[in-house]
Amino acid sequence: MKKLVSSNEAAQLLGLSLQGVHYRIKKGQLESIKQDGKIFVYVDKSSTQIKKQTSSTIEKTQLNDYKQLEEKILQSKDEQIHLLKKTIKFMKKQHNNEINRLDKTQTKMLNVFQSEVDLLKSAFNEMKNIYKLDQKETSSTLDQVTNQDTPTQIQFMDVKDFFIFMRKHNKTDSQIKNIILEKVKSGDKRFIYNKTSKEMIIYESDFLDII
């Protein structure tokens, strides 16, 4: 069954533009009449119903497409979130491992430094004891010389005078140096060397065993 409508209404019912309606009228695809200078079109109600159904189907299809697209977007978002969580977890693990490594390295370095400090303390104490022992030996040697020559006054000479004395007995400087070193090493009481002050004290005698 057909009904007569204006060209604008026909365009709306058929889902066409106004130019599309006029084109179909011109081609004889739509039946029309002209009244009072206006064009009216006969439209089949079944066609409009099919058009409405088609439009509804298209809308449903578009809606389904939108839903599928939305689901894909949500799925992609979930995948990205999962990937980011895994990345953050990995980076956190790496960060903790690096902190642990630095802590272990620091502990090892502190242990090494502490060992070196302990070694230096031990060496310092040993040198301190040796220094005290040298002082005691020097003091004891001086006391022995003093006691042996009491009440006679002790006579000392410096290294320069000793060199002059030995040169008079045809000794070279090299021989004199060797004599002094040998006598100090052998513990000769006439040759006293103070390791602290680096001074040489020579007890004056005839030195018959040397010349």
Side-chain angles (χ1 to χ4, degrees):
M1 182 177 180
K2 295 182 179 181
K3 68 176 181 177
L4 189 63
V5 296
S6 67
S7 57
N8 287 330
E9 291 176 335
Q12 292 179 357
L13 292 173
L14 296 175
L16 299 173
S17 65
L18 186 59
Q19 291 82 358
V21 171
H22 290 163
Y23 176 80
R24 284 168 175 75
I25 292 172
K26 185 177 181 180
K27 291 291 184 179
Q29 296 176 355
L30 289 176
E31 185 181 356
S32 65
I33 61 172
K34 194 171 185 180
Q35 294 179 356
D36 299 328
K38 296 181 179 180
I39 298 174
F40 291 89
V41 182
Y42 288 98
V43 178
D44 192 346
K45 290 185 176 180
S46 60
S47 298
T48 58
Q49 186 67 28
I50 293 172
K51 177 59 182 176
K52 289 181 180 179
Q53 291 177 354
T54 304
S55 299
S56 177
T57 302
I58 293 173
E59 290 178 356
K60 289 182 179 179
T61 303
Q62 290 177 343
L63 182 60
N64 290 332
D65 291 341
Y66 287 142
K67 287 184 178 180
Q68 290 178 1
L69 179 61
E70 184 179 5
E71 289 177 357
K72 288 182 179 180
I73 292 173
L74 291 175
Q75 183 179 0
S76 177
K77 182 197 69 175
D78 293 338
E79 290 176 354
Q80 290 293 328
I81 292 174
H82 179 68
L83 180 60
L84 286 173
K85 286 182 178 180
K86 287 182 65 176
T87 303
I88 293 172
K89 185 178 180 180
F90 174 77
M91 292 179 65
K92 185 176 181 180
K93 183 179 180 180
Q94 290 294 103
H95 176 71
N96 292 333
N97 290 338
E98 184 65 15
I99 290 177
N100 292 332
R101 186 187 68 82
L102 292 175
D103 288 341
K104 289 180 180 179
T105 301
Q106 185 179 18
T107 301
K108 288 181 180 179
M109 291 177 65
L110 290 175
N111 291 335
V112 171
F113 289 153
Q114 186 60 47
S115 298
E116 292 181 353
V117 170
D118 293 339
L119 183 62
L120 289 173
K121 286 182 178 180
S122 177
F124 174 77
N125 291 330
E126 184 176 353
M127 293 297 296
K128 186 177 180 181
N129 293 332
I130 292 174
Y131 172 75
K132 289 181 178 179
L133 182 61
D134 288 343
Q135 282 188 322
K136 289 181 180 179
E137 289 179 352
T138 302
S139 177
S140 175
T141 302
L142 288 174
D143 291 341
Q144 290 178 7
V145 173
T146 302
N147 293 332
Q148 288 175 359
D149 292 289
T150 304
T152 305
Q153 186 176 2
I154 301 174
Q155 297 294 328
F156 296 96
M157 61 168 43
D158 57 24
V159 176
K160 182 179 179 180
D161 292 335
F162 181 75
F163 268 78
I164 294 172
F165 175 79
M166 296 302 291
R167 287 169 185 160
K168 291 180 180 179
H169 292 82
N170 300 320
K171 298 291 184 181
T172 65
D173 289 350
S174 177
Q175 290 175 328
I176 298 171
K177 291 179 181 179
N178 289 333
I179 290 172
I180 294 174
L181 289 174
E182 290 177 359
K183 293 303 179 182
V184 170
K185 289 181 179 179
S186 63
D188 193 316
K189 304 302 182 182
R190 295 171 297 180
F191 296 85
I192 303 171
Y193 177 68
N194 191 322
K195 294 181 180 180
T196 304
S197 62
K198 308 296 182 182
E199 294 180 351
M200 173 66 71
I201 302 173
I202 302 175
Y203 173 63
E204 188 174 335
S205 71
D206 51 17
F207 301 110
L208 294 176
D209 58 322
I210 299 174
I211 60 176

PDB file of all heavy atoms in Angstrom, residues 79-95:
ATOM      1  N   GLU A  79      46.358  -5.824  29.068  1.00  0.00           N
ATOM      2  CA  GLU A  79      47.656  -6.393  28.708  1.00  0.00           C
ATOM      3  C   GLU A  79      48.786  -5.404  29.003  1.00  0.00           C
ATOM      4  O   GLU A  79      49.849  -5.791  29.500  1.00  0.00           O
ATOM      5  CB  GLU A  79      47.667  -6.778  27.221  1.00  0.00           C
ATOM      6  CG  GLU A  79      46.768  -7.968  26.899  1.00  0.00           C
ATOM      7  CD  GLU A  79      46.721  -8.252  25.404  1.00  0.00           C
ATOM      8  OE1 GLU A  79      47.296  -7.445  24.641  1.00  0.00           O
ATOM      9  OE2 GLU A  79      46.119  -9.266  25.004  1.00  0.00           O
ATOM     10  N   GLN A  80      48.538  -4.135  28.697  1.00  0.00           N
ATOM     11  CA  GLN A  80      49.545  -3.118  28.977  1.00  0.00           C
ATOM     12  C   GLN A  80      49.796  -2.976  30.475  1.00  0.00           C
ATOM     13  O   GLN A  80      50.931  -2.848  30.929  1.00  0.00           O
ATOM     14  CB  GLN A  80      49.095  -1.768  28.393  1.00  0.00           C
ATOM     15  CG  GLN A  80      49.103  -1.696  26.872  1.00  0.00           C
ATOM     16  CD  GLN A  80      50.490  -1.770  26.299  1.00  0.00           C
ATOM     17  OE1 GLN A  80      51.441  -1.305  26.906  1.00  0.00           O
ATOM     18  NE2 GLN A  80      50.611  -2.374  25.123  1.00  0.00           N
ATOM     19  N   ILE A  81      48.722  -3.007  31.251  1.00  0.00           N
ATOM     20  CA  ILE A  81      48.857  -2.911  32.711  1.00  0.00           C
ATOM     21  C   ILE A  81      49.636  -4.104  33.252  1.00  0.00           C
ATOM     22  O   ILE A  81      50.522  -3.962  34.109  1.00  0.00           O
ATOM     23  CB  ILE A  81      47.464  -2.820  33.370  1.00  0.00           C
ATOM     24  CG1 ILE A  81      46.797  -1.487  33.028  1.00  0.00           C
ATOM     25  CG2 ILE A  81      47.568  -2.995  34.881  1.00  0.00           C
ATOM     26  CD1 ILE A  81      45.373  -1.376  33.516  1.00  0.00           C
ATOM     27  N   HIS A  82      49.317  -5.298  32.736  1.00  0.00           N
ATOM     28  CA  HIS A  82      50.027  -6.508  33.173  1.00  0.00           C
ATOM     29  C   HIS A  82      51.516  -6.421  32.832  1.00  0.00           C
ATOM     30  O   HIS A  82      52.378  -6.771  33.651  1.00  0.00           O
ATOM     31  CB  HIS A  82      49.400  -7.726  32.500  1.00  0.00           C
ATOM     32  CG  HIS A  82      50.051  -9.019  32.858  1.00  0.00           C
ATOM     33  ND1 HIS A  82      49.979  -9.565  34.135  1.00  0.00           N
ATOM     34  CD2 HIS A  82      50.805  -9.886  32.110  1.00  0.00           C
ATOM     35  CE1 HIS A  82      50.657 -10.696  34.150  1.00  0.00           C
ATOM     36  NE2 HIS A  82      51.166 -10.914  32.944  1.00  0.00           N
ATOM     37  N   LEU A  83      51.802  -5.925  31.616  1.00  0.00           N
ATOM     38  CA  LEU A  83      53.196  -5.783  31.199  1.00  0.00           C
ATOM     39  C   LEU A  83      53.928  -4.766  32.064  1.00  0.00           C
ATOM     40  O   LEU A  83      55.082  -4.982  32.462  1.00  0.00           O
ATOM     41  CB  LEU A  83      53.249  -5.353  29.725  1.00  0.00           C
ATOM     42  CG  LEU A  83      54.636  -5.161  29.109  1.00  0.00           C
ATOM     43  CD1 LEU A  83      55.419  -6.456  29.174  1.00  0.00           C
ATOM     44  CD2 LEU A  83      54.520  -4.681  27.676  1.00  0.00           C
ATOM     45  N   LEU A  84      53.253  -3.654  32.373  1.00  0.00           N
ATOM     46  CA  LEU A  84      53.864  -2.631  33.222  1.00  0.00           C
ATOM     47  C   LEU A  84      54.133  -3.169  34.626  1.00  0.00           C
ATOM     48  O   LEU A  84      55.173  -2.880  35.227  1.00  0.00           O
ATOM     49  CB  LEU A  84      52.945  -1.409  33.295  1.00  0.00           C
ATOM     50  CG  LEU A  84      52.899  -0.535  32.037  1.00  0.00           C
ATOM     51  CD1 LEU A  84      51.829   0.542  32.185  1.00  0.00           C
ATOM     52  CD2 LEU A  84      54.256   0.106  31.778  1.00  0.00           C
ATOM     53  N   LYS A  85      53.198  -3.960  35.150  1.00  0.00           N
ATOM     54  CA  LYS A  85      53.395  -4.546  36.477  1.00  0.00           C
ATOM     55  C   LYS A  85      54.607  -5.476  36.497  1.00  0.00           C
ATOM     56  O   LYS A  85      55.406  -5.475  37.440  1.00  0.00           O
ATOM     57  CB  LYS A  85      52.141  -5.302  36.909  1.00  0.00           C
ATOM     58  CG  LYS A  85      50.980  -4.402  37.320  1.00  0.00           C
ATOM     59  CD  LYS A  85      49.787  -5.218  37.782  1.00  0.00           C
ATOM     60  CE  LYS A  85      48.639  -4.323  38.238  1.00  0.00           C
ATOM     61  NZ  LYS A  85      47.469  -5.112  38.688  1.00  0.00           N
ATOM     62  N   LYS A  86      54.729  -6.293  35.434  1.00  0.00           N
ATOM     63  CA  LYS A  86      55.876  -7.203  35.338  1.00  0.00           C
ATOM     64  C   LYS A  86      57.183  -6.414  35.245  1.00  0.00           C
ATOM     65  O   LYS A  86      58.190  -6.768  35.876  1.00  0.00           O
ATOM     66  CB  LYS A  86      55.725  -8.103  34.117  1.00  0.00           C
ATOM     67  CG  LYS A  86      54.664  -9.190  34.270  1.00  0.00           C
ATOM     68  CD  LYS A  86      54.594 -10.079  33.050  1.00  0.00           C
ATOM     69  CE  LYS A  86      55.868 -10.854  32.855  1.00  0.00           C
ATOM     70  NZ  LYS A  86      55.766 -11.788  31.706  1.00  0.00           N
ATOM     71  N   THR A  87      57.150  -5.323  34.456  1.00  0.00           N
ATOM     72  CA  THR A  87      58.350  -4.495  34.305  1.00  0.00           C
ATOM     73  C   THR A  87      58.741  -3.848  35.625  1.00  0.00           C
ATOM     74  O   THR A  87      59.921  -3.826  36.008  1.00  0.00           O
ATOM     75  CB  THR A  87      58.115  -3.406  33.243  1.00  0.00           C
ATOM     76  OG1 THR A  87      57.737  -4.015  32.004  1.00  0.00           O
ATOM     77  CG2 THR A  87      59.373  -2.579  33.025  1.00  0.00           C
ATOM     78  N   ILE A  88      57.738  -3.313  36.339  1.00  0.00           N
ATOM     79  CA  ILE A  88      58.004  -2.690  37.636  1.00  0.00           C
ATOM     80  C   ILE A  88      58.550  -3.711  38.630  1.00  0.00           C
ATOM     81  O   ILE A  88      59.487  -3.432  39.394  1.00  0.00           O
ATOM     82  CB  ILE A  88      56.726  -2.024  38.178  1.00  0.00           C
ATOM     83  CG1 ILE A  88      56.339  -0.833  37.298  1.00  0.00           C
ATOM     84  CG2 ILE A  88      56.907  -1.583  39.632  1.00  0.00           C
ATOM     85  CD1 ILE A  88      55.000  -0.231  37.636  1.00  0.00           C
ATOM     86  N   LYS A  89      57.985  -4.911  38.629  1.00  0.00           N
ATOM     87  CA  LYS A  89      58.451  -5.970  39.522  1.00  0.00           C
ATOM     88  C   LYS A  89      59.900  -6.336  39.224  1.00  0.00           C
ATOM     89  O   LYS A  89      60.717  -6.509  40.138  1.00  0.00           O
ATOM     90  CB  LYS A  89      57.543  -7.195  39.376  1.00  0.00           C
ATOM     91  CG  LYS A  89      57.876  -8.320  40.347  1.00  0.00           C
ATOM     92  CD  LYS A  89      56.892  -9.475  40.182  1.00  0.00           C
ATOM     93  CE  LYS A  89      57.226 -10.608  41.158  1.00  0.00           C
ATOM     94  NZ  LYS A  89      56.271 -11.741  40.989  1.00  0.00           N
ATOM     95  N   PHE A  90      60.223  -6.459  37.922  1.00  0.00           N
ATOM     96  CA  PHE A  90      61.584  -6.791  37.521  1.00  0.00           C
ATOM     97  C   PHE A  90      62.566  -5.689  37.936  1.00  0.00           C
ATOM     98  O   PHE A  90      63.650  -5.971  38.471  1.00  0.00           O
ATOM     99  CB  PHE A  90      61.634  -6.988  36.005  1.00  0.00           C
ATOM    100  CG  PHE A  90      63.015  -7.194  35.460  1.00  0.00           C
ATOM    101  CD1 PHE A  90      63.658  -8.416  35.603  1.00  0.00           C
ATOM    102  CD2 PHE A  90      63.664  -6.150  34.814  1.00  0.00           C
ATOM    103  CE1 PHE A  90      64.933  -8.596  35.104  1.00  0.00           C
ATOM    104  CE2 PHE A  90      64.939  -6.331  34.317  1.00  0.00           C
ATOM    105  CZ  PHE A  90      65.576  -7.559  34.458  1.00  0.00           C
ATOM    106  N   MET A  91      62.173  -4.428  37.677  1.00  0.00           N
ATOM    107  CA  MET A  91      63.043  -3.310  38.032  1.00  0.00           C
ATOM    108  C   MET A  91      63.242  -3.220  39.543  1.00  0.00           C
ATOM    109  O   MET A  91      64.333  -2.907  40.024  1.00  0.00           O
ATOM    110  CB  MET A  91      62.442  -2.003  37.494  1.00  0.00           C
ATOM    111  CG  MET A  91      62.442  -1.912  35.977  1.00  0.00           C
ATOM    112  SD  MET A  91      61.705  -0.388  35.358  1.00  0.00           S
ATOM    113  CE  MET A  91      62.877   0.812  35.984  1.00  0.00           C
ATOM    114  N   LYS A  92      62.195  -3.502  40.305  1.00  0.00           N
ATOM    115  CA  LYS A  92      62.300  -3.485  41.755  1.00  0.00           C
ATOM    116  C   LYS A  92      63.262  -4.572  42.249  1.00  0.00           C
ATOM    117  O   LYS A  92      64.071  -4.347  43.150  1.00  0.00           O
ATOM    118  CB  LYS A  92      60.914  -3.693  42.375  1.00  0.00           C
ATOM    119  CG  LYS A  92      60.897  -3.561  43.891  1.00  0.00           C
ATOM    120  CD  LYS A  92      59.483  -3.680  44.419  1.00  0.00           C
ATOM    121  CE  LYS A  92      59.452  -3.524  45.944  1.00  0.00           C
ATOM    122  NZ  LYS A  92      58.063  -3.651  46.464  1.00  0.00           N
ATOM    123  N   LYS A  93      63.170  -5.747  41.610  1.00  0.00           N
ATOM    124  CA  LYS A  93      64.063  -6.840  41.968  1.00  0.00           C
ATOM    125  C   LYS A  93      65.512  -6.466  41.659  1.00  0.00           C
ATOM    126  O   LYS A  93      66.414  -6.711  42.462  1.00  0.00           O
ATOM    127  CB  LYS A  93      63.657  -8.099  41.200  1.00  0.00           C
ATOM    128  CG  LYS A  93      64.499  -9.326  41.557  1.00  0.00           C
ATOM    129  CD  LYS A  93      64.020 -10.547  40.787  1.00  0.00           C
ATOM    130  CE  LYS A  93      64.868 -11.773  41.142  1.00  0.00           C
ATOM    131  NZ  LYS A  93      64.412 -12.963  40.387  1.00  0.00           N
ATOM    132  N   GLN A  94      65.719  -5.872  40.478  1.00  0.00           N
ATOM    133  CA  GLN A  94      67.068  -5.449  40.097  1.00  0.00           C
ATOM    134  C   GLN A  94      67.593  -4.394  41.052  1.00  0.00           C
ATOM    135  O   GLN A  94      68.774  -4.391  41.427  1.00  0.00           O
ATOM    136  CB  GLN A  94      67.049  -4.881  38.671  1.00  0.00           C
ATOM    137  CG  GLN A  94      66.809  -5.917  37.583  1.00  0.00           C
ATOM    138  CD  GLN A  94      67.943  -6.912  37.479  1.00  0.00           C
ATOM    139  OE1 GLN A  94      67.843  -8.047  37.931  1.00  0.00           O
ATOM    140  NE2 GLN A  94      69.041  -6.492  36.896  1.00  0.00           N
ATOM    141  N   HIS A  95      66.706  -3.478  41.449  1.00  0.00           N
ATOM    142  CA  HIS A  95      67.097  -2.419  42.386  1.00  0.00           C
ATOM    143  C   HIS A  95      67.519  -3.008  43.727  1.00  0.00           C
ATOM    144  O   HIS A  95      68.557  -2.621  44.296  1.00  0.00           O
ATOM    145  CB  HIS A  95      65.914  -1.468  42.567  1.00  0.00           C
ATOM    146  CG  HIS A  95      66.152  -0.384  43.574  1.00  0.00           C
ATOM    147  ND1 HIS A  95      67.019   0.658  43.348  1.00  0.00           N
ATOM    148  CD2 HIS A  95      65.643  -0.188  44.818  1.00  0.00           C
ATOM    149  CE1 HIS A  95      67.042   1.443  44.405  1.00  0.00           C
ATOM    150  NE2 HIS A  95      66.217   0.961  45.304  1.00  0.00           N
TER     151      HIS A  95
END
